[in-house]
Amino acid sequence: MVYQNLILEHAENGTVAVLTVNRPKALNALNAETLDELLQALAHIAADSALRALLVTGAGDKAFIAGADIAAMQNMNALQAQNFSAKGQRVMQAIEALAIPVIALVNGYALGGGCELALSCDWIIASERAVFGQPEVNLGIPPGFGGTQRLARLVGRARALELVTTGRQVKAEEALRIGLVNAVVAAAQLTENGLETARLIAAKAPVAVRVAKQAVHRGLDMDLANGCVLETSLFAFAFGTDDRKEGMTAFLAKRAPKFEGH
Ligand code: CAA
């Protein structure tokens, strides 16, 4: 598959995919074509049973994604804006729905739709040059790709409200302090740090990783009691896998496990 605005590469013997939004001249801004390509690439990734983790990043050293494409939005009417927002929301949901862990490697500006795309990943590793923000109010609009919802869920209501109503930019260290990102690393280390994390995940039992991710995501939409019921059923499900037997046998035999993914 040839993409105009994306690069989809594989690493670690095909167990890790690296998806790069590639419009560096527009700071990787998301237009409708890029969103369509993201939907295609994500469908391709979802169907690849060899994958254990996905890394998402932006091309160039300046931006992760500087937002939805303002030039493309300039002349939209309300109906076109609704379709554009819905398409963006589908992309974010498709990222969130992937069975494998997805890590955003934020190498620069992650503003508006770029911050929203990072928020739809399971967690974020930021370079020391990363800058986050929801500056849509400067353009006369609110966030439209899920930012009001996912930012509030991640950093809390008050911080999200401050950020979406002031449009203030948040640098990497502050992003770490408020729990928006999991780690801040030197810019030159970002890709290697992401690959190292992906390698760690790829070495674990794949079904256990997938059900652990599912339990966290689905559980957050439930009350605690129902979330724990879900966890019990996924725990029992994992007991039926060969990898569970291998993991426990290997531990007791004091050797490294060899997981096959079933
Ligand atoms: N859409 C379209 N083009 C963009 C863009 C965007 N979101 N962000 C940057 N660009 C383009 C610029 O127009 C410029 O293009 P030209 O070279 O053709 O003039 C190029 O990228 C480089 O940008 P700058 O010259 O502005 O670079 P800078 O270093 O001076 O500033 C920046 C960098 C602070 C990120 C600035 O570009 C900026 O503020 N960008 C817009 C950020 C923004 O408002 N994002 C939210 C968009 S709305 C949204 O995302 C809605 C939603 O939730 C769905």
Side-chain angles (χ1 to χ4, degrees):
M1 181 83 205
V2 179
Y3 300 104
Q4 301 301 315
N5 304 303
L6 301 178
I7 303 168
L8 178 57
E9 298 166 299
H10 290 82
E12 307 298 325
N13 296 321
T15 59
V16 178
V18 183
L19 181 59
T20 304
V21 178
N22 185 32
R23 299 185 70 215
K25 285 191 184 137
L27 302 189
N28 304 319
L30 300 171
N31 56 13
E33 294 74 26
T34 308
L35 293 174
D36 282 332
E37 288 194 353
L38 278 166
L39 285 170
Q40 288 171 36
L42 290 164
H44 190 73
I45 288 163
D48 185 345
S49 59
L51 283 178
R52 301 288 177 254
L54 170 65
L55 304 174
V56 182
T57 194
D61 55 10
K62 194 163 165 186
F64 173 71
I65 296 166
D69 189 315
I70 299 167
M73 288 189 296
Q74 187 184 11
N75 296 316
M76 281 182 188
N77 62 29
L79 185 59
Q80 288 164 330
Q82 185 181 32
N83 289 334
F84 185 61
S85 170
K87 194 188 288 255
Q89 302 276 8
R90 282 200 295 280
V91 170
M92 308 309 152
Q93 282 156 11
I95 293 173
E96 217 163 48
L98 285 173
I100 54 174
V102 183
I103 304 167
L105 302 181
V106 174
N107 49 316
Y109 289 109
L111 300 176
C115 187
E116 291 166 305
L117 193 141
L119 286 165
S120 71
C121 298
D122 292 316
W123 71 91
I124 302 170
I125 303 175
S127 108
E128 61 206 350
R129 293 208 289 257
V131 178
F132 297 85
Q134 297 290 161
E136 287 89 344
V137 284
N138 296 320
L139 302 167
I141 53 173
F145 291 171
T148 57
Q149 305 307 303
R150 291 193 182 85
L151 189 60
R153 282 166 172 75
L154 189 61
V155 302
R157 187 180 67 174
R159 284 199 170 105
L161 275 166
E162 182 207 335
L163 294 178
V164 301
T165 60
T166 64
R168 181 169 77 76
Q169 293 187 353
V170 171
K171 292 191 176 145
E173 283 307 325
E174 183 183 355
L176 183 64
R177 186 163 50 74
I178 67 175
L180 178 52
V181 308
N182 281 25
V184 178
V185 301
Q189 296 302 313
L190 185 62
T191 305
E192 186 44 44
N193 199 287
L195 283 171
E196 177 60 35
T197 309
R199 271 196 291 275
L200 274 178
I201 296 165
K204 308 302 173 194
V207 175
V209 168
R210 286 203 294 273
V211 296
K213 168 170 172 169
Q214 199 185 344
V216 171
H217 273 282
R218 290 184 53 200
L220 281 171
D221 291 332
M222 297 176 177
D223 61 36
L224 181 62
N226 280 308
C228 289
V229 170
L230 171 69
E231 187 185 83
T232 292
S233 67
L234 292 170
F235 183 76
F237 171 75
F239 265 71
T241 63
D242 292 344
D243 281 348
R244 190 279 298 180
K245 290 183 198 104
E246 167 63 9
M248 293 187 181
T249 304
F251 176 83
L252 294 172
K254 301 189 188 305
R255 64 168 173 82
K258 213 171 157 304
F259 294 124
E260 303 288 351
H262 43 80

